[in-house]
Amino acid sequence: MEQNSNGGEGESHSVMTEEELVQLQWRRETVPRVLTFVSSKLPQRDLVSLLLVSPWLYRTLSFNPPLWQILDFHEVNNAGYRLLAALSLPRYKDVKQINLEFAQDIEDKHLELLKNKCSSALRNLEILNLNGCQKISDKGVEAITYVCSSLRVFSIYWNVRVTDVGTQHLVKNCIHVIDVNFSGCKNISDKSMQLVADAYEELESLNITRCIKLSDSGLQYILQKCSSLKSLNLYALSSFTDDVYKNMSHLAQLRFLDLCGAQNLSDHGLMCIAKCNYLVYLNLSWCVRVTDAGVTAIAEGCTCLELLSLFGLLGVTDKSVEALSRSCSGTLTTLDVNGCINVKRRTREELLQLFPLLKCFKVHS
């Protein structure tokens, strides 16, 4: 055994070669960065599975907060208790998005448990998807919104138990919301529209498809106060009158408008909508009172259109198609004139001559 100058036993100190230093740097820096990037693209189930590969991988991924900001339990059985279990883990302490779409066993009791046991984990939640969770009532909405003060997107499509009382809880507890989806919520009335309009003047997206209790008064509240709207879905709402459609001209930032089935929409109303110059998506399917005059106004006013459906409009002729070709041939990628029997030039080849960017010729199957 060798001795050092002080008489003690010496130790052999190996000096790392340049190649070994590169490999070490690769393991410590490059590999974790690559894994983090790849992991961010994986579905939640696969990401969780990666944690089981090795302790090193567990540590690398667990302590990377951006990877754990989404909880996706859509169409998952026993989603309520799985969500509770997930939110009890430290890695989900800063979750931003929860998707429970069509997790049909979700009930009010699960949302109340979240309120009582996981409130700190939900303080930064921004997106909540409760679509198709038909067992949730106003009571559940009250519980979950109470602990989600940072919420910006709230979606509860196809729920017939939630009423205006649920909307009251939403607007009281969540003041930063900019996107609301009430599609298919048949017990939502004009009162909810008033509550939303008063609370969310910066609202950007509203979907009230098939909210059959709504009248002109409810939509008027929205149009008067929510001038920042970029998306408005009024699909399958035939009760609104032309008076309310005329007021849509106030929505200067509107990009998406679905009026499928708006049976009372006239050319005059459509001329007012044509003042929404930045429209990109416009669905006029089954707007049976619309004629060439209204479509020509749209063509001249909405020159950014990428999708337009005129499905089933008997009052529309080749004049409308020609007007659209003069203004929108460089933008339209979807044009549906199926069922427009008075449009004679409507074969795929004829339409492509007028609109060379067309890729889709049917919105409705």
Side-chain angles (χ1 to χ4, degrees):
M1 185 73 70
E2 295 181 1
Q3 290 185 329
N4 59 25
S5 58
N6 294 323
E9 294 183 353
E11 297 180 359
S12 59
H13 295 281
S14 60
V15 177
M16 297 186 71
T17 67
E18 183 177 349
E19 181 179 352
E20 288 172 330
L21 284 170
V22 170
Q23 290 177 349
L24 180 62
Q25 184 180 27
W26 173 266
R27 291 196 302 270
R28 288 181 174 178
E29 298 179 15
T30 306
V31 173
R33 283 203 301 268
V34 172
L35 272 172
T36 299
F37 174 77
V38 172
S39 299
S40 68
K41 309 299 180 183
L42 293 176
Q44 179 181 313
R45 183 175 300 176
D46 295 338
L47 180 58
V48 172
S49 297
L50 271 182
L51 297 177
L52 306 177
V53 173
S54 73
W56 174 82
L57 199 53
Y58 181 92
R59 290 192 299 272
T60 300
L61 298 181
S62 289
F63 296 100
N64 193 325
L67 292 178
W68 309 102
Q69 292 182 348
I70 298 176
L71 275 169
D72 188 353
F73 290 105
H74 78 280
E75 298 181 354
V76 171
N77 293 326
N78 200 26
Y81 292 111
R82 289 188 180 190
L83 177 60
L84 283 161
L87 288 175
S88 68
L89 300 173
R91 64 175 177 266
Y92 289 112
K93 64 181 180 179
D94 193 32
V95 66
K96 293 284 198 296
Q97 178 177 344
I98 293 177
N99 184 359
L100 295 171
E101 186 168 74
F102 292 106
Q104 297 187 16
D105 61 343
I106 290 285
E107 301 180 24
D108 289 342
K109 65 181 181 182
H110 298 117
L111 302 185
E112 290 171 338
L113 284 170
L114 288 173
K115 173 186 174 182
N116 295 329
K117 295 185 176 183
C118 306
S119 59
S120 61
L122 296 171
R123 68 188 184 281
N124 293 318
L125 188 71
E126 295 180 0
I127 301 173
L128 178 60
N129 185 338
L130 299 174
N131 291 344
C133 298
Q134 298 182 351
K135 295 179 181 179
I136 293 176
S137 70
D138 295 329
K139 188 176 181 181
V141 173
E142 178 183 17
I144 192 64
T145 58
Y146 184 81
V147 290
C148 299
S149 59
S150 299
L151 203 65
R152 294 176 65 79
V153 179
F154 180 77
S155 187
I156 194 164
Y157 156 82
W158 198 25
N159 183 308
V160 296
R161 300 186 67 190
V162 170
T163 70
D164 297 330
V165 175
T167 307
Q168 285 180 317
H169 295 310
L170 173 67
V171 301
K172 175 184 176 182
N173 296 327
C174 307
I175 62 174
H176 303 295
V177 171
I178 60 171
D179 187 327
V180 176
N181 183 357
F182 283 144
S183 175
C185 295
K186 297 183 178 180
N187 286 311
I188 293 293
S189 77
D190 291 339
K191 178 62 177 177
S192 284
M193 296 300 98
Q194 182 178 9
L195 289 166
V196 168
D198 288 341
Y200 304 139
E201 292 190 9
E202 300 302 316
L203 191 70
E204 294 182 3
S205 179
L206 177 65
N207 188 339
I208 48 176
T209 293
R210 291 194 173 95
C211 291
I212 56 177
K213 288 189 175 183
L214 299 183
S215 70
D216 279 8
S217 297
L219 187 53
Q220 289 283 22
Y221 288 125
I222 298 296
L223 298 180
Q224 289 169 3
K225 292 202 170 184
C226 302
S227 58
S228 297
L229 270 176
K230 296 178 181 177
S231 176
L232 182 59
N233 197 330
L234 306 177
Y235 183 95
L237 289 173
S238 58
S239 61
F240 295 136
T241 71
D242 220 29
D243 291 335
V244 75
Y245 296 128
K246 293 173 185 176
N247 286 330
M248 288 186 183
S249 60
H250 301 311
L251 304 180
Q253 300 182 50
L254 198 64
R255 304 289 191 275
F256 176 106
L257 180 60
D258 196 323
L259 294 172
C260 178
Q263 298 179 8
N264 296 318
L265 175 64
S266 72
D267 288 331
H268 190 189
L270 199 52
M271 289 174 187
C272 294
I273 291 172
K275 296 178 182 178
C276 301
N277 302 129
Y278 296 106
L279 273 177
V280 172
Y281 179 112
L282 180 59
N283 187 355
L284 297 174
S285 300
W286 298 117
C287 295
V288 294
R289 294 181 61 193
V290 169
T291 71
D292 288 334
V295 177
T296 298
I298 289 293
E300 294 172 352
C302 305
T303 57
C304 300
L305 276 179
E306 296 177 10
L307 181 148
L308 176 64
S309 178
L310 304 174
F311 183 90
L313 305 192
L314 304 183
V316 169
T317 72
D318 289 313
K319 291 181 180 179
S320 290
V321 176
E322 291 165 3
L324 288 165
S325 71
R326 289 192 294 270
S327 303
C328 305
S329 63
T331 59
L332 272 174
T333 58
T334 299
L335 177 62
D336 191 344
V337 291
N338 292 287
C340 300
I341 60 175
N342 292 311
V343 174
K344 306 305 179 184
R345 299 178 60 189
R346 53 191 171 98
T347 66
R348 182 182 294 254
E349 293 72 21
E350 289 170 326
L351 290 174
L352 278 171
Q353 288 179 356
L354 296 171
F355 308 96
L357 300 182
L358 280 185
K359 297 178 181 178
C360 181
F361 301 82
K362 182 182 289 187
V363 174
H364 296 269
S365 56

